[in-house]
Amino acid sequence: IDFPDRWAVLQSKAWEGSEEQRAAVRKDWIEPWGDRRQDLVFIGKDLKDDAIQALLDRCLLTDEEMAMGSDGWKAVFGDALLDHMDDSSDEDEE
């Protein structure tokens, strides 16, 4: 899909609203990604919020790991998607 501007939000001239509404949109703006983000939502009864938060926190990269960038991550951790694709192609040959 080809667009004249980045697909992050509507062009500012298309946005109508109060300054308060505009500020609410801008609060989640982070360069260079704009307002793009992902939210993970858990819905259920009697969820253990602290346990879920602790588990997710253990998945986060450290500052040192984050600084390595994607090439460093591939060198240290491998490429799980590509490694898995290689494994599945071996299974097809059997």
Side-chain angles (χ1 to χ4, degrees), residues 9 18 23 29 35 44 47 54-55 60 70 80 83-84 89-90 92-93:
V9 296
S18 68
W29 191 272
D35 63 349
L47 295 177
L55 178 66
L60 296 173
S70 60
D83 292 344
H84 178 72
S89 64
D90 292 342
D92 294 339
E93 294 173 7

Side-chain angles (χ1 to χ4, degrees), residues 39-90:
D39 292 320
L40 186 59
V41 178
F42 295 87
I43 300 172
K45 186 176 179 183
D46 300 325
L47 295 177
K48 297 179 177 153
D49 300 356
D50 292 337
I52 293 169
Q53 186 67 55
L55 178 66
L56 293 172
D57 286 346
R58 289 195 305 269
C59 297
L60 296 173
L61 295 177
T62 64
D63 289 341
E64 293 80 18
E65 291 168 336
M66 192 68 181
M68 292 172 12
S70 60
D71 289 335
W73 302 330
K74 289 176 188 174
V76 173
F77 303 120
D79 191 322
L81 178 61
L82 293 177
D83 292 344
H84 178 72
M85 290 174 68
D86 289 342
D87 292 344
S88 63
S89 64
D90 292 342

